[in-house]
Amino acid sequence: MMMKKRICFLTTGDITSIATMKRALGMANPLSAMGWEVSIIAMDCTENRQRVSIECGSYIGVHYYQPAGAGKEVQQKTTILNTIQPDYIYFCAFGFRNWIKKSALNFHPEMIIEHSELQSGIPDNKGLKKVMAHFIETLSVLYADKLICASKYLEDFYQRKAKQLFKRNLSILYSPYAYSNEVIDAPKSYLSELTEKYAGNTVLIYMGTMTRNYGLFTMLEAVEKAIQKTPDIKLLLLGRGRHLEDAKAYVKEKQLEPYIEFLGYAPETMLSSYFELADAFISPLNDTVQDWARCPSKIYMYIPFHKPVFTCKIGEPKEIFGDDGYYFDNTQPATLTDLITTLAEGELQPVTLDVTEHSWEKRSQDFSNWILQKEQVYA
Protein backbone atom coordinates (compact mmCIF):
# COMPACT_ATOMS: atom_id res chain seq x y z
CA MET A 1 0.00 0.00 0.00
CA MET A 2 1.30 3.41 -1.00
CA MET A 3 1.52 6.25 1.53
CA LYS A 4 -0.72 9.25 1.00
CA LYS A 5 0.94 12.16 -0.74
CA ARG A 6 0.89 15.23 1.48
CA ILE A 7 0.43 18.77 0.21
CA CYS A 8 0.30 22.05 2.10
CA PHE A 9 -1.13 25.22 0.58
CA LEU A 10 0.73 28.28 1.82
CA THR A 11 -1.51 31.37 1.79
CA THR A 12 -1.26 34.94 2.99
CA GLY A 13 -3.70 37.64 4.03
CA ASP A 14 -7.47 37.90 4.20
CA ILE A 15 -9.46 36.08 1.49
CA THR A 16 -11.73 39.11 0.97
CA SER A 17 -8.77 41.09 -0.39
CA ILE A 18 -6.39 38.40 -1.71
CA ALA A 19 -8.07 36.01 -4.14
CA THR A 20 -5.23 33.50 -4.36
CA MET A 21 -6.48 31.65 -1.26
CA LYS A 22 -9.48 30.52 -3.33
CA ARG A 23 -7.26 27.92 -4.99
CA ALA A 24 -6.39 26.30 -1.68
CA LEU A 25 -10.01 26.20 -0.52
CA GLY A 26 -11.31 25.03 -3.89
CA MET A 27 -8.83 22.17 -4.33
CA ALA A 28 -8.65 20.97 -0.71
CA ASN A 29 -11.72 18.70 -0.68
CA PRO A 30 -11.31 17.24 -4.21
CA LEU A 31 -7.63 16.40 -3.61
CA SER A 32 -8.51 14.81 -0.28
CA ALA A 33 -11.17 12.70 -2.03
CA MET A 34 -8.44 11.50 -4.44
CA GLY A 35 -6.31 10.27 -1.56
CA TRP A 36 -4.11 13.28 -0.83
CA GLU A 37 -3.45 14.48 2.70
CA VAL A 38 -4.20 18.21 2.49
CA SER A 39 -3.13 21.04 4.78
CA ILE A 40 -3.65 24.80 4.52
CA ILE A 41 -1.70 27.50 6.33
CA ALA A 42 -3.78 30.67 6.61
CA MET A 43 -3.87 33.94 8.51
CA ASP A 44 -6.09 33.86 11.57
CA CYS A 45 -9.03 36.18 10.89
CA THR A 46 -12.84 35.94 10.93
CA GLU A 47 -13.21 35.96 7.13
CA ASN A 48 -10.70 33.15 6.58
CA ARG A 49 -12.20 31.00 9.34
CA GLN A 50 -15.69 31.52 7.92
CA ARG A 51 -14.65 30.53 4.39
CA VAL A 52 -12.77 27.49 5.66
CA SER A 53 -15.88 26.38 7.57
CA ILE A 54 -17.97 26.66 4.38
CA GLU A 55 -15.55 25.05 1.93
CA CYS A 56 -13.32 22.59 3.80
CA GLY A 57 -14.20 19.23 5.27
CA SER A 58 -13.08 18.33 8.80
CA TYR A 59 -10.35 16.11 7.29
CA ILE A 60 -8.45 19.14 5.92
CA GLY A 61 -5.66 20.20 8.27
CA VAL A 62 -5.97 23.97 8.66
CA HIS A 63 -3.20 25.76 10.55
CA TYR A 64 -3.59 29.42 11.44
CA TYR A 65 -0.79 31.92 11.97
CA GLN A 66 -1.23 35.24 13.77
CA PRO A 67 -1.16 38.48 11.74
CA ALA A 68 2.37 39.92 11.89
CA GLY A 69 5.10 41.62 9.90
CA ALA A 70 6.60 39.76 6.94
CA GLY A 71 9.51 38.28 8.92
CA LYS A 72 7.31 36.99 11.76
CA GLU A 73 4.75 35.64 9.30
CA VAL A 74 7.41 33.62 7.47
CA GLN A 75 8.79 32.41 10.81
CA GLN A 76 5.38 31.12 11.92
CA LYS A 77 4.84 29.36 8.58
CA THR A 78 8.28 27.74 8.77
CA THR A 79 7.53 26.38 12.25
CA ILE A 80 4.20 24.89 11.11
CA LEU A 81 5.79 23.34 8.00
CA ASN A 82 8.54 21.72 10.03
CA THR A 83 5.83 20.15 12.18
CA ILE A 84 3.61 18.78 9.39
CA GLN A 85 6.37 18.07 6.80
CA PRO A 86 4.35 17.83 3.56
CA ASP A 87 5.77 16.30 0.37
CA TYR A 88 4.73 19.39 -1.59
CA ILE A 89 4.48 23.04 -0.54
CA TYR A 90 2.09 24.97 -2.77
CA PHE A 91 2.66 28.74 -2.69
CA CYS A 92 -0.63 30.55 -3.45
CA ALA A 93 1.28 33.59 -4.77
CA PHE A 94 4.97 34.08 -4.04
CA GLY A 95 6.43 37.06 -2.23
CA PHE A 96 8.25 38.31 0.84
CA ARG A 97 5.37 37.25 3.10
CA ASN A 98 4.82 33.97 1.32
CA TRP A 99 8.11 32.17 0.87
CA ILE A 100 10.23 29.85 2.96
CA LYS A 101 14.00 29.71 3.32
CA LYS A 102 14.78 26.17 2.19
CA SER A 103 17.70 25.87 4.63
CA ALA A 104 15.28 26.58 7.51
CA LEU A 105 13.30 23.39 6.76
CA ASN A 106 14.27 20.09 8.36
CA PHE A 107 12.79 18.12 5.43
CA HIS A 108 12.99 18.30 1.62
CA PRO A 109 9.64 19.04 -0.06
CA GLU A 110 8.99 19.96 -3.69
CA MET A 111 8.15 23.63 -4.14
CA ILE A 112 5.18 24.55 -6.35
CA ILE A 113 4.53 28.23 -7.04
CA GLU A 114 1.30 29.61 -8.48
CA HIS A 115 1.15 32.78 -10.57
CA SER A 116 -2.28 34.38 -11.13
CA GLU A 117 -1.18 37.84 -12.30
CA LEU A 118 1.90 39.64 -13.60
CA GLN A 119 2.94 42.28 -11.08
CA SER A 120 5.56 43.74 -13.43
CA GLY A 121 2.80 44.31 -16.01
CA ILE A 122 0.63 46.45 -13.69
CA PRO A 123 0.99 50.12 -14.78
CA ASP A 124 0.62 51.41 -11.19
CA ASN A 125 3.72 49.46 -10.14
CA LYS A 126 6.49 51.92 -10.94
CA GLY A 127 10.08 52.48 -9.82
CA LEU A 128 11.18 50.24 -6.96
CA LYS A 129 7.85 48.35 -6.99
CA LYS A 130 8.41 47.37 -10.62
CA VAL A 131 12.02 46.37 -9.95
CA MET A 132 10.89 44.19 -7.04
CA ALA A 133 8.13 42.63 -9.17
CA HIS A 134 10.70 41.61 -11.81
CA PHE A 135 12.94 40.25 -9.04
CA ILE A 136 10.16 38.11 -7.51
CA GLU A 137 9.14 36.77 -10.95
CA THR A 138 12.72 35.75 -11.70
CA LEU A 139 13.30 34.33 -8.22
CA SER A 140 10.16 32.21 -8.46
CA VAL A 141 11.56 30.40 -11.51
CA LEU A 142 14.90 29.79 -9.82
CA TYR A 143 13.27 28.71 -6.53
CA ALA A 144 10.42 26.50 -7.78
CA ASP A 145 10.43 22.84 -8.74
CA LYS A 146 7.15 23.36 -10.60
CA LEU A 147 4.96 26.33 -11.62
CA ILE A 148 1.19 26.74 -11.91
CA CYS A 149 -0.04 29.51 -14.23
CA ALA A 150 -3.64 30.68 -14.00
CA SER A 151 -3.67 32.26 -17.49
CA LYS A 152 -2.37 31.30 -20.93
CA TYR A 153 -0.43 34.55 -21.04
CA LEU A 154 1.40 33.65 -17.82
CA GLU A 155 2.11 30.14 -19.07
CA ASP A 156 3.83 31.56 -22.17
CA PHE A 157 5.62 34.24 -20.11
CA TYR A 158 7.10 31.76 -17.63
CA GLN A 159 8.05 29.24 -20.30
CA ARG A 160 10.14 31.99 -21.94
CA LYS A 161 11.60 33.08 -18.59
CA ALA A 162 12.52 29.50 -17.67
CA LYS A 163 14.45 29.14 -20.92
CA GLN A 164 16.24 32.45 -20.29
CA LEU A 165 17.26 31.19 -16.83
CA PHE A 166 18.44 27.82 -18.18
CA LYS A 167 15.55 25.93 -16.57
CA ARG A 168 14.20 24.74 -19.89
CA ASN A 169 12.76 21.59 -18.31
CA LEU A 170 10.82 23.40 -15.58
CA SER A 171 7.37 21.78 -15.48
CA ILE A 172 4.53 24.32 -15.88
CA LEU A 173 0.79 23.59 -15.64
CA TYR A 174 -1.87 25.91 -17.05
CA SER A 175 -4.65 25.87 -14.46
CA PRO A 176 -7.14 28.77 -14.23
CA TYR A 177 -9.44 29.37 -11.30
CA ALA A 178 -12.70 27.44 -11.04
CA TYR A 179 -16.06 27.38 -9.27
CA SER A 180 -16.76 25.94 -5.86
CA ASN A 181 -19.76 23.66 -5.37
CA GLU A 182 -19.88 24.59 -1.68
CA VAL A 183 -20.54 28.24 -2.48
CA ILE A 184 -22.98 27.51 -5.33
CA ASP A 185 -24.96 24.97 -3.31
CA ALA A 186 -25.10 27.20 -0.23
CA PRO A 187 -28.67 27.89 0.96
CA LYS A 188 -30.24 30.75 -1.01
CA SER A 189 -31.62 32.23 2.18
CA TYR A 190 -32.10 35.76 0.81
CA LEU A 191 -33.46 34.87 -2.63
CA SER A 192 -37.19 35.36 -1.97
CA GLU A 193 -36.51 38.70 -0.26
CA LEU A 194 -34.30 39.87 -3.16
CA THR A 195 -36.72 38.57 -5.80
CA GLU A 196 -39.52 40.58 -4.22
CA LYS A 197 -37.34 43.69 -3.92
CA TYR A 198 -36.22 43.64 -7.57
CA ALA A 199 -39.39 42.27 -9.16
CA GLY A 200 -39.93 43.57 -12.68
CA ASN A 201 -36.28 44.61 -13.11
CA THR A 202 -33.51 43.28 -15.31
CA VAL A 203 -30.79 42.73 -12.69
CA LEU A 204 -27.11 43.11 -13.61
CA ILE A 205 -24.40 42.23 -11.10
CA TYR A 206 -20.78 43.31 -10.91
CA MET A 207 -18.70 41.96 -8.06
CA GLY A 208 -15.17 43.22 -7.61
CA THR A 209 -12.97 46.22 -6.97
CA MET A 210 -14.49 49.66 -7.53
CA THR A 211 -11.80 51.32 -9.66
CA ARG A 212 -11.79 53.12 -13.01
CA ASN A 213 -9.22 50.65 -14.29
CA TYR A 214 -11.64 47.76 -13.75
CA GLY A 215 -14.35 49.35 -15.89
CA LEU A 216 -16.40 50.97 -13.14
CA PHE A 217 -17.32 54.06 -15.16
CA THR A 218 -17.84 52.03 -18.34
CA MET A 219 -20.66 50.24 -16.49
CA LEU A 220 -22.15 53.46 -15.11
CA GLU A 221 -22.16 55.14 -18.52
CA ALA A 222 -23.56 52.02 -20.21
CA VAL A 223 -26.52 51.92 -17.81
CA GLU A 224 -27.03 55.66 -18.22
CA LYS A 225 -27.49 55.08 -21.96
CA ALA A 226 -29.47 51.82 -21.61
CA ILE A 227 -32.24 53.26 -19.41
CA GLN A 228 -33.25 55.62 -22.22
CA LYS A 229 -34.51 52.56 -24.10
CA THR A 230 -35.10 49.96 -21.34
CA PRO A 231 -35.62 51.75 -18.00
CA ASP A 232 -36.37 48.70 -15.82
CA ILE A 233 -32.70 48.05 -15.08
CA LYS A 234 -30.90 47.53 -11.79
CA LEU A 235 -27.11 47.44 -11.70
CA LEU A 236 -25.94 46.03 -8.36
CA LEU A 237 -22.31 46.77 -7.54
CA LEU A 238 -20.81 44.46 -4.91
CA GLY A 239 -17.44 45.46 -3.52
CA ARG A 240 -15.23 48.32 -2.39
CA GLY A 241 -12.43 50.32 -3.96
CA ARG A 242 -10.59 53.62 -4.25
CA HIS A 243 -13.00 55.16 -6.78
CA LEU A 244 -16.20 54.20 -4.95
CA GLU A 245 -16.95 57.74 -3.77
CA ASP A 246 -16.27 59.15 -7.27
CA ALA A 247 -18.73 56.64 -8.68
CA LYS A 248 -21.39 57.50 -6.09
CA ALA A 249 -20.94 61.21 -6.94
CA TYR A 250 -21.39 60.43 -10.65
CA VAL A 251 -24.56 58.43 -9.99
CA LYS A 252 -25.97 61.26 -7.89
CA GLU A 253 -25.05 63.93 -10.44
CA LYS A 254 -26.65 61.96 -13.31
CA GLN A 255 -29.69 61.05 -11.16
CA LEU A 256 -29.09 57.34 -11.63
CA GLU A 257 -29.95 56.27 -8.06
CA PRO A 258 -33.09 54.37 -9.15
CA TYR A 259 -30.96 52.21 -11.49
CA ILE A 260 -27.61 51.72 -9.76
CA GLU A 261 -27.01 50.48 -6.20
CA PHE A 262 -23.73 50.26 -4.31
CA LEU A 263 -24.04 47.30 -1.94
CA GLY A 264 -20.47 47.15 -0.56
CA TYR A 265 -18.87 43.84 0.35
CA ALA A 266 -21.40 41.00 0.17
CA PRO A 267 -20.93 38.20 2.74
CA GLU A 268 -20.29 34.75 1.24
CA THR A 269 -23.59 33.54 2.69
CA MET A 270 -25.48 35.98 0.43
CA LEU A 271 -23.67 35.33 -2.85
CA SER A 272 -25.71 32.33 -3.97
CA SER A 273 -28.89 34.38 -3.54
CA TYR A 274 -27.54 37.35 -5.52
CA PHE A 275 -26.16 35.12 -8.27
CA GLU A 276 -29.43 33.23 -8.60
CA LEU A 277 -31.27 36.56 -8.78
CA ALA A 278 -29.06 37.99 -11.55
CA ASP A 279 -30.19 38.18 -15.15
CA ALA A 280 -26.58 38.77 -16.21
CA PHE A 281 -23.12 39.39 -14.79
CA ILE A 282 -20.62 42.04 -15.92
CA SER A 283 -16.87 41.40 -15.91
CA PRO A 284 -14.97 44.21 -17.67
CA LEU A 285 -11.39 43.70 -18.89
CA ASN A 286 -8.90 45.89 -20.73
CA ASP A 287 -6.69 45.04 -23.70
CA THR A 288 -3.55 45.39 -21.57
CA VAL A 289 -0.76 43.11 -20.37
CA GLN A 290 -2.22 43.34 -16.86
CA ASP A 291 -5.60 41.94 -17.93
CA TRP A 292 -4.29 39.39 -20.42
CA ALA A 293 -2.11 38.01 -17.63
CA ARG A 294 -4.56 37.94 -14.71
CA CYS A 295 -7.17 35.27 -14.18
CA PRO A 296 -10.53 36.90 -13.30
CA SER A 297 -11.69 34.48 -10.61
CA LYS A 298 -15.21 35.93 -10.42
CA ILE A 299 -16.12 34.67 -13.92
CA TYR A 300 -15.66 31.09 -12.74
CA MET A 301 -18.07 31.81 -9.88
CA TYR A 302 -20.68 33.14 -12.33
CA ILE A 303 -20.75 30.47 -15.05
CA PRO A 304 -22.40 27.64 -13.03
CA PHE A 305 -25.49 29.83 -12.67
CA HIS A 306 -26.03 29.63 -16.44
CA LYS A 307 -26.62 33.36 -16.86
CA PRO A 308 -25.02 35.60 -19.53
CA VAL A 309 -21.62 37.02 -18.60
CA PHE A 310 -20.90 40.37 -20.29
CA THR A 311 -17.13 40.51 -20.61
CA CYS A 312 -14.31 41.30 -23.05
CA LYS A 313 -12.52 39.10 -25.58
CA ILE A 314 -9.35 39.18 -23.50
CA GLY A 315 -7.31 36.45 -21.79
CA GLU A 316 -9.25 33.81 -19.89
CA PRO A 317 -12.79 34.87 -20.95
CA LYS A 318 -11.62 34.30 -24.53
CA GLU A 319 -10.35 30.85 -23.45
CA ILE A 320 -13.70 30.05 -21.77
CA PHE A 321 -16.19 31.40 -24.32
CA GLY A 322 -14.18 31.37 -27.57
CA ASP A 323 -15.89 33.31 -30.35
CA ASP A 324 -19.37 32.88 -28.83
CA GLY A 325 -19.16 35.09 -25.75
CA TYR A 326 -21.16 38.20 -24.88
CA TYR A 327 -18.32 40.63 -25.49
CA PHE A 328 -18.04 44.40 -25.23
CA ASP A 329 -15.20 46.92 -25.55
CA ASN A 330 -14.33 48.38 -22.15
CA THR A 331 -13.34 51.69 -23.77
CA GLN A 332 -16.73 51.96 -25.52
CA PRO A 333 -19.66 52.03 -23.03
CA ALA A 334 -22.13 51.89 -25.92
CA THR A 335 -21.04 48.32 -26.72
CA LEU A 336 -22.06 47.27 -23.20
CA THR A 337 -25.29 49.28 -23.55
CA ASP A 338 -26.18 47.17 -26.60
CA LEU A 339 -25.81 43.94 -24.60
CA ILE A 340 -27.87 45.30 -21.71
CA THR A 341 -30.76 46.48 -23.89
CA THR A 342 -30.77 43.24 -25.90
CA LEU A 343 -31.01 41.31 -22.62
CA ALA A 344 -33.74 43.58 -21.23
CA GLU A 345 -35.76 43.13 -24.40
CA GLY A 346 -35.50 39.35 -24.11
CA GLU A 347 -33.60 38.96 -27.37
CA LEU A 348 -30.23 37.70 -26.14
CA GLN A 349 -29.37 34.32 -27.68
CA PRO A 350 -28.15 31.63 -25.25
CA VAL A 351 -24.52 30.50 -25.21
CA THR A 352 -23.82 26.83 -24.49
CA LEU A 353 -20.95 26.01 -22.16
CA ASP A 354 -19.84 22.82 -20.41
CA VAL A 355 -19.35 24.26 -16.94
CA THR A 356 -17.99 20.99 -15.51
CA GLU A 357 -14.74 21.76 -17.37
CA HIS A 358 -14.31 24.67 -14.95
CA SER A 359 -14.91 22.95 -11.60
CA TRP A 360 -12.34 22.61 -8.83
CA GLU A 361 -12.80 18.83 -9.18
CA LYS A 362 -11.52 19.05 -12.76
CA ARG A 363 -8.64 21.37 -11.80
CA SER A 364 -7.69 19.03 -8.93
CA GLN A 365 -7.75 15.95 -11.16
CA ASP A 366 -5.52 17.69 -13.72
CA PHE A 367 -3.17 18.84 -10.96
CA SER A 368 -2.95 15.39 -9.37
CA ASN A 369 -2.28 13.72 -12.74
CA TRP A 370 0.40 16.32 -13.51
CA ILE A 371 2.18 15.93 -10.17
CA LEU A 372 1.98 12.15 -10.07
CA GLN A 373 2.33 11.65 -13.83
CA LYS A 374 -1.05 9.91 -13.77
CA GLU A 375 0.07 7.53 -11.05
CA GLN A 376 -2.82 6.43 -8.83
CA VAL A 377 -2.78 7.83 -5.28
CA TYR A 378 -3.99 5.31 -2.68
CA ALA A 379 -5.36 6.04 0.75
Side-chain angles (χ1 to χ4, degrees), residues 133-143 157-158 161 165:
H134 281 295
F135 172 74
I136 291 292
E137 288 158 11
T138 300
L139 181 62
S140 74
V141 173
L142 296 171
Y143 180 94
F157 175 87
Y158 280 103
K161 188 166 277 292
L165 297 170

Side-chain angles (χ1 to χ4, degrees), residues 204-369:
L204 309 162
I205 286 182
Y206 166 81
M207 183 172 72
T209 309
M210 301 293 155
T211 66
R212 290 179 185 275
N213 189 44
Y214 280 14
L216 177 56
F217 283 82
T218 300
M219 292 185 285
L220 302 184
E221 290 174 34
V223 169
E224 184 183 358
K225 291 181 172 70
I227 58 172
Q228 295 168 19
K229 189 176 181 183
T230 51
D232 295 326
I233 290 169
K234 286 281 186 182
L235 171 62
L236 307 183
L237 298 163
L238 280 62
R240 301 180 286 247
R242 58 186 172 138
H243 296 136
L244 178 59
E245 294 309 314
D246 293 349
K248 287 180 177 178
Y250 182 92
V251 166
K252 188 174 182 181
E253 178 195 340
K254 301 291 184 177
Q255 299 181 320
L256 297 173
E257 293 100 326
Y259 313 102
I260 299 172
E261 294 184 23
F262 297 92
L263 301 178
Y265 172 73
E268 204 72 25
T269 50
M270 292 189 72
L271 289 186
S272 60
S273 298
Y274 274 117
F275 290 179
E276 192 65 43
L277 171 79
D279 293 294
F281 302 100
I282 306 179
S283 181
L285 290 165
N286 301 303
D287 191 3
T288 60
V289 168
Q290 179 180 0
D291 279 3
W292 275 93
R294 74 184 178 93
C295 183
S297 60
K298 307 289 191 310
I299 284 186
Y300 298 93
M301 296 173 71
Y302 301 153
I303 55 179
F305 288 86
H306 303 283
K307 311 288 181 69
V309 180
F310 298 159
T311 186
C312 308
K313 204 172 183 179
I314 302 294
E316 298 332 286
K318 185 182 176 186
E319 295 293 329
I320 298 169
F321 301 114
D323 293 327
D324 300 325
Y326 301 111
Y327 297 125
F328 66 94
D329 182 339
N330 201 28
T331 65
Q332 304 290 331
T335 58
L336 178 56
T337 298
D338 290 343
L339 287 171
I340 293 171
T341 53
T342 305
L343 172 73
E345 290 170 347
E347 295 176 5
L348 206 67
Q349 297 301 310
V351 168
T352 55
L353 181 71
D354 181 2
V355 298
T356 60
E357 285 297 305
H358 304 286
S359 66
W360 282 122
E361 283 75 14
K362 178 68 166 66
R363 301 285 186 257
S364 301
Q365 186 66 63
D366 292 344
F367 172 82
S368 186
N369 288 345

Side-chain angles (χ1 to χ4, degrees), residues 60-287:
I60 307 300
V62 184
H63 306 267
Y64 292 103
Y65 65 87
Q66 296 307 308
K72 288 286 187 186
E73 180 173 331
V74 170
Q75 194 176 51
Q76 291 180 74
K77 290 174 177 177
T78 304
T79 301
I80 295 167
L81 287 167
N82 276 327
T83 303
I84 61 179
Q85 298 196 355
D87 301 303
Y88 300 91
I89 299 176
Y90 188 115
F91 295 82
C92 297
F94 186 66
F96 295 113
R97 286 184 169 275
N98 212 40
W99 77 290
I100 299 294
K101 194 174 180 181
K102 291 181 181 180
S103 61
L105 296 176
N106 56 25
F107 65 109
H108 301 286
E110 277 203 43
M111 305 298 197
I112 304 166
I113 292 175
E114 177 188 338
H115 290 287
S116 57
E117 63 181 353
L118 193 67
Q119 287 285 338
S120 64
I122 298 175
D124 286 351
N125 286 346
K126 297 184 175 73
L128 184 59
K129 269 192 172 181
K130 196 175 189 75
V131 170
M132 293 313 296
H134 281 295
F135 172 74
I136 291 292
E137 288 158 11
T138 300
L139 181 62
S140 74
V141 173
L142 296 171
Y143 180 94
D145 296 298
K146 291 178 171 64
L147 291 183
I148 299 272
C149 291
S151 72
K152 281 287 188 186
Y153 187 99
L154 288 171
E155 182 187 24
D156 294 341
F157 175 87
Y158 280 103
Q159 281 175 343
R160 291 195 303 273
K161 188 166 277 292
K163 287 175 184 174
Q164 290 165 3
L165 297 170
F166 307 104
K167 288 191 74 172
R168 189 178 295 270
N169 295 323
L170 180 65
S171 185
I172 301 175
L173 177 69
Y174 166 59
S175 181
Y177 284 121
Y179 65 84
S180 166
N181 287 321
E182 284 78 11
V183 174
I184 291 156
D185 296 337
K188 297 173 178 60
S189 312
Y190 302 88
L191 183 57
S192 58
E193 175 188 329
L194 292 172
T195 302
E196 185 178 341
K197 182 178 179 181
Y198 295 107
N201 288 290
T202 298
V203 177
L204 309 162
I205 286 182
Y206 166 81
M207 183 172 72
T209 309
M210 301 293 155
T211 66
R212 290 179 185 275
N213 189 44
Y214 280 14
L216 177 56
F217 283 82
T218 300
M219 292 185 285
L220 302 184
E221 290 174 34
V223 169
E224 184 183 358
K225 291 181 172 70
I227 58 172
Q228 295 168 19
K229 189 176 181 183
T230 51
D232 295 326
I233 290 169
K234 286 281 186 182
L235 171 62
L236 307 183
L237 298 163
L238 280 62
R240 301 180 286 247
R242 58 186 172 138
H243 296 136
L244 178 59
E245 294 309 314
D246 293 349
K248 287 180 177 178
Y250 182 92
V251 166
K252 188 174 182 181
E253 178 195 340
K254 301 291 184 177
Q255 299 181 320
L256 297 173
E257 293 100 326
Y259 313 102
I260 299 172
E261 294 184 23
F262 297 92
L263 301 178
Y265 172 73
E268 204 72 25
T269 50
M270 292 189 72
L271 289 186
S272 60
S273 298
Y274 274 117
F275 290 179
E276 192 65 43
L277 171 79
D279 293 294
F281 302 100
I282 306 179
S283 181
L285 290 165
N286 301 303
D287 191 3

